[in-house]
Amino acid sequence: MSHFISWHVCKHELKQKVRNRTLWLLFALMQLLLAIALFTSWQQYQQSRSLQISSQQMVEQQWLAQPDRHPHRVAHFGHFAFRAPSALSYFDIGVNNWVGNSVFLEAHKQNSANFANDSQAATLLRFSELSVANLLLFVWPLLLIALSFSTISGDQQRGTLKQMLAVGVKFNHLLFGKGFAYTLLSALFLLPVFITSLVISTASEVAFSADMLIRIGLLFLLYLAYCIFWVAVVLLVSSLTRLPKHSLTALITLWFVLLVLTPRTLADIAQQLHPHKSRNMLALAVQTDIRKVGNSHNPDDPHFSEFKQQVLQSYGVNTVEELPVNYRGLVMQEGERISAEIYQRHYQSQLNKFAAQQAFVSKFYWLNPYLAVRDLSMAISASDSRHFFDFEQQAEHHRFERIQGLNKIHAEGVDHHNDREQRVSASLWQDFPEFQFQNATLSWSLKNSAVAISAFMLITILLLGILISPALQRRAFIHA
């Protein structure tokens, strides 16, 4: 009997909304916006991927086209590593617009990613991006509020709530029926964009995979749960206020605080508590520490003087001319090892700072589910900062291996006498492996998402528990 009452309430609520022309207009406009966002983002994704793949092929061809030359000149000729966008970046662009997508790889130096739109872009700027994720995160909750803010308070104002309770309709059944109606509307709103995402992904040989299918499914469940959260919020606020205008004011204020004010404020506080170095300051700190350890270009440097004695002793000779290998090549190897270790130490410190900032923000998942859903969406779409840092680390590993390979050629293929005027065959570096960016697995993408998942689930369940609590039902009966 209770299920029948709730279903009747649900059908009644849906009929009211279906008759509302404003609802159909809003639905049409939102679907149009989603279609535009999906189309433009997909086009941008394909163009970016095509451009970066072709650019990677071009720099590989330039590398192979080098003539016979000194291996150290080849090391300074350099190379590029390009980061192809993640397959779901067309859905949630994440940080992609604010970070670089290529790294110049050269000897003695670790460069940062280049060609970002704005390396200092703030979290608030995501609000202006026309992406599917932003429309679902920001705009759909507003439409839910506009559609349902008076769902309970309006019945109170009209006196129909008191009549329904008087004839034996329990407040829980009323809430369940109305909540299910708005959840169905949300699901109908979400389905077209996710079905379209599946279709275009299936049609693309580049993007479609089992991993992609699972990620799209997880995104659908995530955003459906996000809609359920907002339905619960609207029902709770509408139940606690007696007039629709009060419900609308409270909900709009809550939307602004949760989605606009809090993320910006927390990002600023996190930066103040755990400040990280700018790219230029990081490079300066690395170079300063390298000079403290040793200068490979200074023959009187203490570190390399000691290194020279160790090399001579290990080979059992008295001078570098007697070595079976080129001493300058060994010095380049040692210098590269030192700079790489120092860079990794500073880079790890940067990562620790970013991790501390994220840990600070994650403490507020329990108060603001939007933060959890936003970060989960970026993680599933492989477009958050962790995936960008993974690219930089892969690029640095590739740079180190390639430069050390050239330094080995320098040590073994170039005579110490008349070193700088010699050239070696270009065939020696023809077989160097190309840079192949390894996309993250789903398990790696969600590795640090346990807190976000737990917080979002807990607060949603808590809201639903409050809605069906006897205290809320007694209050509704008293104030009806």
Side-chain angles (χ1 to χ4, degrees):
M1 182 64 180
S2 60
H3 295 299
F4 174 77
I5 295 175
S6 297
W7 178 241
H8 183 74
V9 172
C10 175
K11 289 195 297 182
H12 176 74
E13 195 76 17
L14 288 174
K15 285 180 180 178
Q16 281 190 324
K17 299 305 175 185
V18 168
R19 294 190 188 119
N20 189 341
R21 293 183 179 180
T22 304
L23 171 64
W24 287 105
L25 178 61
L26 290 175
F27 255 66
L29 288 176
M30 276 299 299
Q31 292 299 332
L32 179 61
L33 274 177
L34 284 172
I36 293 173
L38 191 59
F39 176 77
T40 56
S41 298
W42 177 253
Q43 291 295 318
Q44 182 180 0
Y45 161 75
Q46 288 187 310
Q47 291 172 4
S48 298
R49 183 177 181 85
S50 176
L51 176 62
Q52 291 174 31
I53 290 176
S54 62
S55 298
Q56 191 71 64
Q57 293 172 347
M58 181 183 68
V59 297
E60 294 294 346
Q61 291 171 0
Q62 290 174 343
W63 173 272
L64 297 175
Q66 293 181 88
D68 296 349
R69 59 173 57 178
H70 194 287
H72 197 61
R73 294 180 66 86
V74 177
H76 280 290
F77 177 80
H79 193 59
F80 273 96
F82 289 89
R83 178 177 67 104
S86 62
L88 275 172
S89 60
Y90 71 88
F91 183 92
D92 191 338
I93 200 168
V95 302
N96 288 347
N97 272 356
W98 319 121
V99 297
N101 50 40
S102 67
V103 177
F104 181 57
L105 313 176
E106 60 179 325
H108 311 316
K109 188 178 180 181
Q110 294 80 14
N111 296 300
S112 303
N114 300 315
F115 309 121
N117 286 349
D118 185 358
S119 59
Q120 303 298 325
T123 306
L124 187 62
L125 293 179
R126 280 176 51 83
F127 182 78
S128 63
E129 296 168 0
L130 182 61
S131 67
V132 175
N134 264 356
L135 289 174
L136 298 182
L137 285 170
F138 286 95
V139 182
W140 179 242
L142 270 181
L143 290 185
L144 269 179
I145 290 172
L147 292 172
S148 56
F149 71 92
S150 63
T151 183
I152 302 296
S153 57
D155 288 340
Q156 287 182 329
Q157 186 181 43
R158 291 187 297 269
T160 53
L161 177 61
K162 185 175 184 179
Q163 293 176 3
M164 287 186 287
L165 295 177
V167 297
V169 177
K170 292 184 178 181
F171 191 62
N172 287 350
H173 300 158
L174 188 66
L175 288 177
F176 184 79
K178 289 177 177 287
F180 189 59
Y182 292 112
T183 301
L184 282 178
L185 285 176
S186 299
L188 290 173
F189 174 77
L190 293 175
L191 277 174
V193 68
F194 281 97
I195 291 174
T196 305
S197 296
L198 281 174
V199 170
I200 62 177
S201 297
T202 304
S204 171
E205 296 179 359
V206 174
F208 184 70
S209 65
D211 179 81
M212 176 80 162
L213 187 63
I214 295 173
R215 288 176 186 264
I216 292 177
L218 289 176
L219 283 171
F220 175 76
L221 294 176
L222 175 66
Y223 281 98
L224 182 60
Y226 182 65
C227 292
I228 292 173
F229 161 77
W230 275 105
V231 169
V233 168
V234 171
L235 289 176
L236 180 59
V237 172
S238 188
S239 300
L240 295 176
T241 52
R242 301 190 65 179
L243 296 175
K245 63 180 181 179
H246 295 163
S247 302
L248 182 60
T249 301
L251 287 168
I252 293 296
T253 302
L254 186 62
W255 176 89
F256 178 79
V257 170
L258 292 182
L259 274 63
V260 180
L261 183 61
T262 304
R264 174 67 272 173
T265 304
L266 291 178
D268 288 340
I269 295 174
Q271 169 63 20
Q272 292 298 320
L273 292 177
H274 307 284
H276 63 274
K277 293 184 177 70
S278 66
R279 295 290 188 178
N280 291 335
M281 292 304 297
L282 175 64
L284 179 61
V286 170
Q287 290 303 315
T288 301
D289 282 359
I290 290 174
R291 292 191 185 97
K292 291 179 181 178
V293 174
N295 183 357
S296 60
H297 295 283
N298 181 7
D300 299 322
D301 182 87
H303 174 82
F304 283 94
S305 294
E306 182 181 349
F307 173 74
K308 178 180 178 180
Q309 295 304 317
Q310 291 175 351
V311 170
L312 294 177
Q313 184 178 359
S314 65
Y315 281 94
V317 296
N318 296 320
T319 64
V320 294
E321 288 77 12
E322 299 177 81
L323 289 170
V325 294
N326 190 332
Y327 175 69
R328 289 192 180 93
L330 298 180
V331 170
M332 291 299 103
Q333 287 181 324
E334 176 68 5
E336 200 64 52
R337 182 192 66 81
I338 291 172
S339 64
E341 288 182 356
I342 292 174
Y343 173 79
Q344 285 299 329
R345 185 168 70 248
H346 281 275
Y347 191 80
Q348 187 58 51
S349 176
Q350 287 283 86
L351 293 183
N352 293 339
K353 293 292 186 181
F354 287 121
Q357 292 176 15
Q358 184 60 40
F360 172 78
V361 173
S362 67
K363 294 177 181 178
F364 294 86
Y365 287 163
W366 308 96
L367 299 176
N368 189 348
Y370 160 75
L371 296 171
V373 175
R374 179 199 65 185
D375 291 349
L376 281 171
S377 178
M378 288 192 294
I380 295 172
S381 302
S383 59
D384 61 2
S385 58
R386 283 184 68 240
H387 291 81
F388 168 70
F389 295 141
D390 180 51
F391 159 70
E392 284 199 324
Q393 290 175 308
Q394 288 188 40
E396 167 55 20
H397 176 74
H398 180 80
R399 184 204 71 83
F400 181 76
E401 294 296 326
R402 179 168 289 212
I403 298 302
Q404 289 295 63
L406 291 169
N407 288 334
K408 183 179 180 181
I409 295 174
H410 187 177
E412 299 176 356
V414 177
D415 292 332
H416 183 269
H417 175 69
N418 202 25
D419 182 310
R420 295 185 178 181
E421 281 70 31
Q422 294 180 57
R423 297 182 179 184
V424 297
S425 172
S427 62
L428 293 175
W429 54 79
Q430 295 293 306
D431 295 331
F432 278 22
E434 298 180 4
F435 176 75
Q436 297 287 341
F437 176 59
Q438 300 298 317
N439 292 313
T441 62
L442 180 60
S443 59
W444 188 90
S445 297
L446 296 177
K447 182 179 179 181
N448 297 332
S449 299
V451 175
I453 295 171
S454 302
F456 177 64
M457 290 180 61
L458 182 62
I459 198 168
T460 303
I461 292 172
L462 181 62
L463 272 175
L464 295 175
I466 294 174
L467 282 174
I468 63 174
S469 65
L472 187 64
Q473 184 162 344
R474 287 195 299 269
R475 186 185 187 284
F477 185 81
I478 292 171
H479 294 281

